[in-house]
């Protein structure tokens, strides 16, 4: 479904991604582990067309995304839910959500249907639909960010650190929602620092260090690895 081959990205003389090859098959939930600055966000920005690769290729369903505009990548079925949520805090929850339905702008009935599904998944957002997004709790704001991404009805959802800054119980709720989204048929690539919790819901995982993939495997394999446990799980 999604394939990066040798993805290389520079910021000036700094190499943020150095030949990253990863793939996500249809229906999978794949986790990208990595410390701050490992390159997770850079990889996601490159996949969604917001940063240009210096070398390498990215394919979505066999289509080469080289040079594709971010809007065309969304239309092709890939939506990026960015780190830090990037909501419009003064706008209502509902208006924030509707921004994600831009791809269905010629089919308003479709947008209403999907909005109803998003409210079904996050009932608290229906209750707070007219409240400014910035007045919600951190976890609820993350639900708005995920909901806005779902409004585009993606085939592939890139989720960049959805649990950042949230309390442990809320992290669990957000990751359960991610699992439910995947179980309902959306392919997910999830960047997370909360390694233990993320590995509980993943089908497969990669570890990114200094712009390079240093390990790939099933969650059970990574959880048994002494180096991974020490670096990412603290046990
Ligand atoms: P975090 O969780 O902190 O966002 P990350 O794994 O997502 O970490 P990136 O944000 O991709 O990492 O950053 C990778 C490296 O590239 C870091 O060293 C970062 O300082 C650097 N970097 C990121 N964006 C830029 C930029 N616009 N200009 C220069 N350097 C950048």
């Amino acid at each position: 479904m999604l394939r990066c081959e040798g993805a290389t990205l520079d910021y000036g003389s700094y190499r943020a991604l150095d030949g990253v090859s990863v793939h996500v098959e249809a229906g999978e939930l794949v986790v990208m582990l990595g410390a701050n600055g490992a390159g997770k966000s850079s990889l996601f920005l490159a996949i969604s067309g917001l940063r240009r690769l210096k070398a390498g290729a990215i394919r979505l369903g066999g289509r080469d995304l080289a040079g594709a505009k971010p809007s065309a990548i969304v239309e092709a079925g890939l939506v990026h839910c960015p780190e830090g949520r990037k909501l419009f805090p003064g706008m209502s929850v509902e208006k924030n959500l509707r921004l994600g339905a831009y791809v269905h702008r010629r089919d308003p009935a479709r947008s209403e249907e999907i909005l109803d599904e998003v409210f079904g998944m996050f009932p608290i957002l229906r209750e707070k639909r007219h409240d400014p997004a910035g007045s919600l709790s951190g976890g609820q704001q993350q639900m708005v960010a995920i909901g806005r991404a779902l409004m585009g009805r993606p085939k592939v959802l890139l989720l960049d650190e959805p649990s950042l800054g949230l309390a442990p119980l809320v992290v669990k709720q957000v990751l359960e929602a991610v699992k439910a989204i995947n179980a309902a048929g959306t392919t997910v690539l999830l960047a997370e620092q909360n390694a233990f919790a993320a590995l509980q819901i993943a089908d497969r995982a990669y570890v990114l260090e200094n712009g390079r993939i240093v390990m790939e495997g099933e969650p059970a394999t990574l959880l048994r690895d002494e180096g991974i446990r020490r670096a990412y799980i603290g046990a």
Side-chain angles (χ1 to χ4, degrees):
M1 178 68 95
L2 174 67
R3 193 167 283 274
C4 301
E5 285 157 12
T8 299
L9 186 148
D10 292 343
Y11 296 113
S13 61
Y14 181 77
R15 180 143 293 182
L17 296 176
D18 192 6
V20 171
S21 295
V22 297
H23 64 97
V24 185
E25 302 305 327
E28 269 194 314
L29 196 169
V30 173
V31 167
M32 182 68 59
L33 300 178
N36 272 336
K40 304 180 297 300
S41 298
S42 299
L43 179 64
F44 282 20
L45 290 167
I47 293 172
S48 53
L50 294 163
R51 290 269 185 267
R52 287 272 164 261
L53 291 182
K54 184 178 173 73
I58 298 172
R59 289 194 175 76
L60 179 66
R63 172 182 163 187
D64 186 354
L65 297 184
K69 281 199 229 155
S71 56
I73 294 175
V74 174
E75 306 256 1
L78 184 136
V79 177
H80 178 178
C81 181
E83 181 176 353
R85 305 173 200 137
K86 307 284 194 291
L87 299 180
F88 293 90
M91 268 166 55
S92 72
V93 165
E94 182 172 332
K95 281 192 175 152
N96 271 278
L97 289 173
R98 285 185 184 280
L99 289 174
Y102 181 74
V103 278
H104 312 298
R105 61 196 175 280
R106 288 183 204 91
D107 188 356
R110 184 87 183 107
S111 299
E112 295 312 308
E113 204 177 287
I114 304 172
L115 181 65
D116 204 53
E117 282 175 23
V118 169
F119 283 150
M121 168 155 273
F122 301 115
I124 188 72
L125 301 188
R126 193 192 296 275
E127 269 175 48
K128 299 194 176 239
R129 66 196 293 173
H130 301 304
D131 294 2
S135 70
L136 271 58
S137 71
Q140 290 165 355
Q141 289 193 33
Q142 187 58 56
M143 289 173 197
V144 178
I146 296 174
R148 179 182 57 190
L150 291 178
M151 289 296 294
R153 254 309 167 90
K155 294 190 191 97
V156 181
L157 177 61
L158 303 185
L159 275 171
D160 196 353
E161 307 239 13
S163 71
L164 198 70
L166 302 180
L169 188 64
V170 187
V171 170
K172 196 164 170 267
Q173 287 166 357
V174 167
L175 292 181
E176 274 167 10
V178 173
K179 185 69 192 168
I181 289 162
N182 173 247
T186 307
T187 301
V188 176
L189 179 59
L190 167 70
E192 261 297 333
Q193 288 196 40
N194 246 305
F196 187 73
L199 289 172
Q200 306 305 309
I201 62 164
D203 294 315
R204 213 153 49 74
Y206 291 95
V207 181
L208 188 62
E209 279 178 11
N210 300 319
R212 291 185 182 178
I213 297 293
V214 295
M215 192 169 178
E216 178 203 348
E218 291 186 357
T221 312
L222 268 69
L223 284 165
R224 271 197 305 269
D225 186 275
E226 196 57 38
I228 298 292
R229 291 179 72 85
R230 223 177 301 115
Y232 299 100
I233 298 175

